[in-house]
Amino acid sequence: MPSPLPPFRSPDRAARTPPAVWTGAVVGAAALALLALVAARWSPLMSLDRSVADALHRHAVTDPGLVRVSRVLTDWVWDPWTMRALIAVTVVALWWRGARTLALWLAATSLIGTLLQQGLKAAVGRKRPQWPDPVDSAHYAAFPSGHAMTAVVTCGLFVWLLRLYGAGPGARAAVLAVAVVSAIGVAATRVYLGVHWLTDVVGGALLGVALVALSAAAYARYAAPRPGGLVGPGADRRGSRPW
């Protein structure tokens, strides 16, 4: 058995909690506002969705090469099951190294994201774009995009983990760049392939950001040590809750 991860000093955890809470609240409110407009089928928003979808579909049917690339990216690289597999591997690694509370927290956040997106899909029941000459197909309701939300939740959790473990600015910047590219890429491919409306992917991304921010804030509050205390597998109950 490998030795547990050593305890580390919390890098101003308490100071980061309010920004995370505010981020989650503001982004979550924006996601709920978008959800309400989509459910009400607000005409200007529906017109925007249709205009973007039509323009991208006209291009897609004339460029099979880009369609193939987009399908590989969306079906393999950014597929929700690929994202969940990455989370599962990370959860196992954290558990094996002794960070068991953090492992469970990560798994729970990912699971909540899946349940939330599926629940909203069923509640909203929005139909996907329909085309006489489709270049791809997808099942279930459209809002929110499961691909977009799962990718944002997964990448957001990895960015949070690096910050939690005090990774250097270079590593954090690299992972953040991958996260941003993934979020934009999965949104673009889903709309380009004609299986989602623009507001579906925007809604999924907003919900993902809100979920990760609120989860990070809740974990910070749960695991916050006393002043000068340690957090991690080696910390005892006097300093903080153990992982």
Side-chain angles (χ1 to χ4, degrees):
M1 290 289 290
S3 60
L5 291 170
F8 58 92
R9 295 195 178 275
S10 174
D12 298 327
R13 233 179 249 246
R16 291 205 309 269
T17 300
V21 171
W22 278 109
T23 298
V26 171
V27 177
L32 291 177
L34 182 61
L35 168 62
L37 293 175
V38 168
R41 299 190 59 79
W42 189 48
S43 180
L45 201 60
M46 299 300 102
S47 297
L48 174 63
D49 272 343
R50 175 52 67 180
S51 297
V52 172
D54 286 345
L56 290 177
H57 184 69
R58 283 196 299 271
H59 186 278
V61 296
T62 64
D63 194 339
L66 186 54
V67 167
R68 283 194 295 271
V69 171
S70 297
R71 292 188 66 173
V72 168
L73 290 172
T74 193
D75 292 341
W76 295 98
V77 179
W78 295 315
D79 182 75
W81 286 108
T82 301
M83 297 292 106
R84 291 170 190 142
L86 291 174
I87 289 292
V89 169
T90 306
V91 167
V92 171
L94 288 170
W95 186 277
W96 182 255
R97 297 289 293 176
R100 295 186 174 180
T101 296
L102 186 56
L104 293 174
W105 204 281
L106 209 68
T109 302
S110 181
L111 177 60
I112 290 170
T114 300
L115 295 176
L116 179 60
Q117 66 177 257
Q118 293 302 321
L120 288 175
K121 282 178 180 289
V124 178
R126 188 184 197 188
K127 292 184 178 180
R128 294 178 184 268
Q130 300 293 319
W131 309 104
D133 49 354
V135 297
D136 199 1
S137 62
H139 304 290
Y140 308 112
F143 187 94
S145 166
H147 277 70
M149 185 171 176
T150 304
V152 170
V153 167
T154 301
C155 293
L157 287 173
F158 285 137
V159 171
W160 171 60
L161 279 176
L162 285 181
R163 186 179 181 89
L164 192 66
Y165 276 95
R172 294 209 310 259
V175 173
L176 180 60
V178 171
V180 172
V181 169
S182 296
I184 295 174
V186 71
T189 55
R190 299 307 283 169
V191 180
Y192 184 75
L193 291 171
V195 294
H196 272 297
W197 306 103
L198 175 63
T199 47
D200 297 339
V201 296
V202 172
L206 290 175
L207 288 166
V209 171
L211 177 60
V212 171
L214 292 175
S215 178
Y219 181 81
R221 183 173 181 83
Y222 172 83
R226 295 177 181 177
L230 296 173
V231 290
D236 61 26
R237 293 182 181 272
R238 293 173 297 174
S240 68
R241 292 183 177 92
W243 284 2

